[in-house]
Amino acid sequence: MRGQRYGALLSGLLLMAAATAARATPTPPTPADPAPPAPLPAPAIARTWPVGTRPAVVRAWEPPATTYARGHRGVDLAAPAGAPVRAVAAGRVSFAGRVAGKGVVSVELTGTGEPPLRTTYEPVRPTVTKDEEVTPGQVIGEVEPTGSHCTVTCVHWGLLRGGTYLDPLSLLPPWLLRRAPSRLLPVLGVPLP
């Protein structure tokens, strides 16, 4: 009986020691998941809008909070059916064909680092072929009358670096984003013609 008491006492002491040790030894914090590296910014290398001279942005870029979250991974530009679609910068056509019933053109832009930037345009009836070199402003297709997700006919313009979506409007230099052309003010003392 005496052995049972010592055994029970020993078990109790061991449990108390373990509980005290657990309270006294703080658990090291678990490292948080490292944030993905910020994508390299897109250089303002575009020389033209994909459609028109200054199309209305029907829906702006809305980056998703996470890879699979809700968002808008490009911009929608108003454009009538049949309007020409142009490459915004020099590059090589990496895809020209149909995806899920929509015409799509992708252009890998020249000299934009590793991984290179890639622009996408849809719904577009391609007039270029895969591996074709294109220049800024070159027509690469025309707006298809159907297949758009907009309430009006539009072109969805996307920009990716590897698998990361970026705002395609960041490719446009400030002078292309302005609505009105710059105007010089008259010089004081000089009469207007």
Side-chain angles (χ1 to χ4, degrees), residues 5-15:
R5 280 197 320 224
Y6 285 121
L9 182 61
L10 184 59
S11 294
L13 288 173
L14 287 174
L15 284 174

Side-chain angles (χ1 to χ4, degrees), residues 59-162:
R59 185 171 176 198
W61 184 63
E62 299 165 19
T66 63
T67 304
Y68 299 105
R70 194 174 175 181
H72 192 239
R73 293 159 173 86
V75 295
D76 294 334
L77 304 172
V85 179
R86 297 179 298 274
V88 297
R92 182 186 55 79
V93 177
S94 55
F95 180 84
R98 300 201 76 70
V99 175
K102 296 181 195 177
V104 177
V105 176
S106 293
V107 177
E108 191 173 284
L109 304 181
T110 307
T112 56
E114 283 301 321
L117 291 171
R118 185 174 73 245
T119 54
T120 59
Y121 312 84
E122 65 175 84
V124 174
R125 183 173 298 116
T127 57
V128 292
T129 57
K130 186 177 186 309
D131 294 325
E132 186 175 330
E133 296 290 327
V134 294
T135 57
Q138 179 179 336
V139 174
I140 57 173
E142 63 182 44
V143 179
E144 289 185 333
T146 59
S148 170
H149 58 265
C150 301
T151 56
V152 298
T153 309
C154 75
V155 169
H156 179 83
W157 178 32
L159 175 65
L160 294 103
R161 183 180 295 279

Side-chain angles (χ1 to χ4, degrees), residues 36-50:
L40 295 173
I45 59 171
R47 296 294 165 245
T48 184
W49 283 87

